[in-house]
């Protein structure tokens, strides 16, 4: 599995999609290959996909440390921990100063699995921002 | 220091600068070499185990043969005594002594092979557990590094394209607006569709002479003539 195969698959889905979304994928240059996946209508919160030796990682950036109401930070983190298991396919994490939701898939996942992961991650991220907005500035 | 601690320290601390690795590339290579070595050791240990188990089975077989032979000779000795042939009985007894000595040797060999096999099995299990752990730790290091590299690629990309990640609430607001606009469009299209249906019904009714009729040129002329 490589990001170009995933990009080609998602870009050509159109009416064949089983999730009902349209995708726009752009590879990003860097030390390792990263694929930026935009879901049409949700361009503001793209999904970033990268592939390492044994897994495929999909990450959606939620908010930065600077967006969190400082006095509510502990409550926010507790809410995140409590939501972590119920949230399907995704988990919370922090990358540098950004809070993220991510999903890790086996390198042997099918393209359909990857599509479902991306869509679920996108749904989760919108829901999380909407539900957690009391903790945000 | 455990890999877990190293990662936490590195992520919290100074290793945030691009290119600085959690565990330097050389240590990662050494670690990968260790994994390959462990795998080799396990393969060798498994081969040794097969050999030891084969030898143990051989020893067990020989021991069984010797024990059968001892029983046989004991029978011969008794028969010689019954026949009063003491000299022959002593000769047989000597043979039994030899066989018993051999049996003791085989017994000892058998036990020692069994012990070796057990020890090797334990060793293989321990090495396999160690190997799984090495692989897990290496995967942690590699994943952390890969996320760091991906993050720096993403950040660079945003900087290069002069765009930046929006604030979470604004992003959600925009997406919701787009969704609302899309829903409105869909609704408008549906309404339009419904109206079209409505007008086509009117046309059908008119054709059937039901409801308000459009005045034709002939009917207008008739009306004027009637005045």
């Amino acid at each position: 599995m490589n990001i170009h195969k995933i990009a080609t698959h998602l870009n050509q889905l159109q009416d064949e999609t089983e999730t009902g979304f349209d995708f726009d994928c752009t590879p990003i240059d860097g030390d390792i290959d990263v694929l930026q996946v935009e879901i049409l209508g949700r361009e503001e919160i793209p999904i970033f996909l990268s592939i390492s030796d044994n897994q495929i990682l999909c990450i959606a950036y939620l908010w930065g440390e600077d967006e969190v109401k400082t006095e509510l930070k502990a409550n926010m983190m507790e809410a995140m921990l409590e939501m972590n298991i119920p949230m399907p396919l995704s988990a919370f994490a922090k990358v540098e100063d950004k809070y993220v939701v991510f999903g890790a898939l086996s390198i042997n996942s099918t393209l359909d699995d990857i599509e479902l992961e991306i869509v679920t991650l996108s749904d989760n991220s919108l829901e999380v921002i909407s539900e957690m907005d009391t903790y945000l500035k | 220091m455990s890999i877990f601690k190293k990662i936490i320290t590195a992520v919290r601390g100074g290793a945030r600068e691009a290119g600085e690795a959690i565990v330097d590339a050389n240590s990662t290579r050494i670690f990968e070499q260790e994994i390959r070595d462990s795998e080799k050791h396990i393969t060798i240990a498994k081969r040794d185990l097969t050999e030891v188990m084969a030898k143990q089975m051989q020893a067990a077989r020989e021991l069984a043969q010797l024990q059968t032979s001892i029983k046989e000779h004991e029978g011969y000795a008794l028969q010689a005594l019954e026949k009063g042939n003491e000299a022959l009985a002593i000769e047989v007894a000597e043979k039994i002594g030899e066989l018993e000595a051999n049996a003791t040797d085989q017994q000892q060999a058998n036990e020692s092979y069994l012990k070796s096999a057990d020890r090797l099995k334990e060793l293989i299990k321990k090495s396999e557990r160690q190997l799984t752990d090495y692989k897990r730790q290496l995967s942690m290091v590699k994943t952390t590094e890969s996320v760091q590299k991906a993050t720096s690629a993403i950040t660079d990309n945003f900087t290069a394209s002069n765009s930046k990640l929006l604030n979470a609430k604004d992003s959600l607001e925009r997406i919701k607006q787009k969704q609302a606009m899309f829903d409105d469009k869909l609704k408008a299209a549906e309404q339009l569709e419904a109206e079209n249906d409505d007008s086509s019904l009117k046309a059908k009714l008119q054709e059937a002479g039901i409801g308000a009729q459009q005045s034709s040129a002939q009917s207008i002329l008739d009306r004027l003539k009637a005045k």
Side-chain angles (χ1 to χ4, degrees):
Chain A
M1 192 56 75
N2 63 64
I3 63 160
H4 301 287
K5 201 171 154 193
I6 298 171
T8 312
H9 172 75
L10 292 177
N11 281 342
Q12 57 85 41
L13 267 178
Q14 296 185 351
D15 291 344
E16 300 293 310
T17 170
E18 298 206 353
T19 51
F21 287 103
D22 289 315
F23 302 91
D24 188 9
C25 305
T26 327
I28 292 176
D29 286 337
D31 266 355
I32 64 160
D33 285 340
V34 178
L35 187 67
Q36 177 170 344
V37 184
E38 287 178 354
I39 293 183
L40 259 59
R42 298 178 174 182
E43 290 81 355
E44 286 76 6
I45 305 176
I47 310 291
F48 294 98
L49 190 151
S50 61
I51 298 178
S52 67
D53 283 359
N54 52 4
Q55 59 180 356
I56 303 172
L57 270 179
C58 304
I59 300 179
Y61 290 81
L62 297 173
W63 53 76
E65 191 68 70
D66 54 346
E67 291 173 58
V68 181
K69 287 180 186 160
T70 322
E71 70 280 12
L72 295 178
K73 187 171 162 179
N75 301 20
M76 179 193 81
M77 298 226 239
E78 207 166 332
M80 284 173 147
L81 281 177
E82 283 163 357
M83 224 169 137
N84 228 4
I85 292 180
M87 187 166 58
L89 301 183
S90 317
F92 286 108
K94 200 178 173 197
V95 178
E96 296 181 358
D97 59 349
K98 293 264 189 302
Y99 292 87
V100 306
V101 272
F102 79 101
L105 289 99
S106 151
I107 196 87
N108 302 315
S109 305
T110 65
L111 290 166
D112 285 347
D113 289 337
I114 296 168
E115 182 189 350
L116 179 65
E117 174 69 38
I118 290 169
V119 169
T120 311
L121 192 57
S122 175
D123 283 341
N124 286 340
S125 58
L126 296 190
E127 180 136 32
V128 163
I129 296 174
S130 164
E131 292 306 313
M132 299 248 182
D133 70 342
T134 45
Y135 305 118
L136 303 177
K137 284 175 191 162
Chain B
M1 187 160 49
S2 78
I3 290 290
F4 201 80
K5 267 226 174 78
K6 264 188 194 164
I7 290 174
I8 290 179
T9 313
V11 169
R12 288 250 165 110
R16 287 219 190 133
E17 290 102 67
E20 200 170 336
I22 303 291
V23 177
D24 63 276
N26 202 32
S27 326
T28 311
R29 268 198 298 279
I30 292 170
F31 209 38
E32 281 170 331
Q33 187 58 46
E34 270 176 34
I35 288 177
R36 276 196 296 274
D37 287 350
S38 307
E39 277 170 341
K40 219 185 309 173
H41 288 150
I42 290 176
T43 315
I44 293 171
K46 280 186 175 166
R47 210 167 47 213
D48 289 351
L49 178 63
T50 319
E51 252 170 58
V52 168
M53 282 168 81
K55 280 185 184 159
Q56 182 268 322
M57 280 191 273
Q58 204 183 349
R61 217 168 24 240
E62 275 173 29
L63 182 62
Q65 274 169 2
L66 283 168
Q67 278 161 347
T68 319
S69 194
I70 290 169
K71 279 225 173 74
E72 255 174 41
H73 282 83
E74 280 171 353
Y76 298 152
L78 284 174
Q79 280 175 37
L81 280 178
E82 274 168 22
K83 291 196 172 159
N85 193 342
E86 189 117 349
L88 187 61
I90 282 181
E91 220 175 293
V92 176
E94 274 167 7
K95 177 72 182 167
I96 294 175
E98 238 174 74
L99 288 171
E100 277 180 344
N102 267 347
T104 313
D105 284 352
Q106 285 302 337
Q107 178 77 40
Q108 273 168 359
N110 187 39
E111 276 166 16
S112 122
Y113 287 138
L114 276 174
K115 262 188 208 150
S116 297
D118 281 348
R119 212 191 54 232
L120 277 170
K121 279 182 195 164
E122 246 343 285
L123 193 74
I124 290 169
K125 275 190 200 155
K126 197 180 149 209
S127 304
E128 280 173 340
R129 284 196 297 269
Q130 180 71 58
L131 186 63
T132 313
D133 190 42
Y134 277 158
K135 284 183 175 167
R136 183 185 62 87
Q137 291 189 39
L138 186 65
S139 150
M140 277 165 75
V141 172
K142 287 200 156 179
T143 306
T144 312
E145 281 177 354
S146 135
V147 169
Q148 280 189 328
K149 282 178 186 162
T151 309
S152 93
I154 293 162
T155 316
D156 289 352
N157 184 59
F158 271 109
T159 319
S161 63
N162 268 331
S163 51
K164 70 188 259 296
L165 286 167
L166 283 168
N167 159 309
K169 280 182 164 181
D170 291 347
S171 298
L172 184 68
E173 202 44 52
R174 283 206 202 185
I175 292 172
K176 276 186 175 165
Q177 270 172 15
K178 273 191 273 189
Q179 184 62 46
M181 201 147 80
F182 177 79
D183 287 348
D184 287 347
K185 271 190 194 163
L186 205 65
K187 210 183 268 171
E190 274 170 8
Q191 254 168 24
L192 218 59
E193 185 82 359
E195 276 166 21
N196 280 343
D197 281 357
D198 208 27
S199 57
S200 73
L201 181 64
K202 264 186 196 152
K204 278 185 198 157
L205 285 169
Q206 223 164 42
E207 221 170 280
I210 302 167
Q213 295 296 304
Q214 209 171 30
S215 4
S216 65
Q218 190 58 52
S219 67
I220 294 172
L221 209 61
D222 290 347
R223 198 178 68 218
L224 288 174
K225 276 182 187 165
K227 273 192 179 169

